[in-house]
Amino acid sequence: MYRKLAVVTAAVAMLLGGTAASAVAAPAAPVAEVSATATIPNVVDVTPANTAQVMQWSYTKPVVLDFTATWCYWCQKQKPYLQQYNTADNGAWVWAKVDVDRNRDLYNKYRVRGIPALLNIQNGQEAGSRMVGFDGPTSLRNWLNNL
């Protein structure tokens, strides 16, 4: 958005006089975009207090909502692979862990019926397919590659 504003402002300045174009077109906007991206963590525990912020991050990079529980055997089997792939992908996506016992509203909002469940969130809404259950590391890697 800042980049578009700078381009429009530079174009108007050029049309009106041409001298202010170089001062207006200074590349300050990319610095703001980079710093906004830099503040997004690779892994986050989703709580009712930070849900809106996590959804906002999905406008910058994919967010994988991981509906899980400490008592869920398959969730615990999947967890080390999610950690490994998130690290290997260098923060290309946010691993957003949702404890279903503490986040019933989010669990119900997305109509999750079984765990573990992974949802691809982009631009504030669910995008693509879900992955429900854990079929092993290969299917998990394939699903993550399609974010």
Side-chain angles (χ1 to χ4, degrees):
M1 183 168 121
Y2 297 111
R3 185 173 282 160
K4 286 181 183 179
L5 180 61
V7 170
V8 169
T9 306
V12 169
M14 284 177 47
L15 287 172
L16 294 177
T19 58
S22 61
V24 173
V31 173
E33 291 173 16
V34 171
S35 65
T37 303
T39 60
I40 299 175
N42 294 342
V43 181
V44 64
D45 289 315
V46 180
T47 66
N50 71 358
T51 300
Q53 182 180 27
V54 172
M55 292 299 118
Q56 190 64 36
W57 294 336
S58 74
Y59 287 90
T60 304
K61 62 183 178 178
V63 170
V64 173
L65 286 181
D66 174 20
F67 288 90
T68 187
T70 56
W71 48 263
C72 170
Y73 174 80
W74 291 108
C75 300
Q76 300 310 313
K77 292 290 278 186
Q78 177 175 264
K79 186 176 181 177
Y81 294 105
L82 281 168
Q83 179 63 54
Q84 175 186 350
Y85 297 148
N86 185 267
T87 301
D89 291 344
N90 233 5
W93 49 275
V94 177
W95 177 20
K97 299 182 275 186
V98 181
D99 184 323
V100 297
D101 293 324
R102 295 185 181 149
N103 294 289
R104 281 288 176 196
D105 290 342
L106 202 56
Y107 180 82
N108 291 328
K109 175 183 177 181
Y110 286 102
R111 297 182 179 153
V112 174
R113 298 295 173 240
I115 59 172
L118 301 175
L119 280 66
N120 174 10
I121 306 297
Q122 295 184 30
N123 298 319
Q125 59 188 359
E126 189 173 356
S129 65
R130 293 180 176 202
M131 183 170 184
V132 180
F134 179 60
D135 293 333
T138 303
S139 61
L140 176 60
R141 178 78 261 182
N142 289 336
W143 186 83
L144 291 169
N145 286 342
N146 291 315
L147 292 178

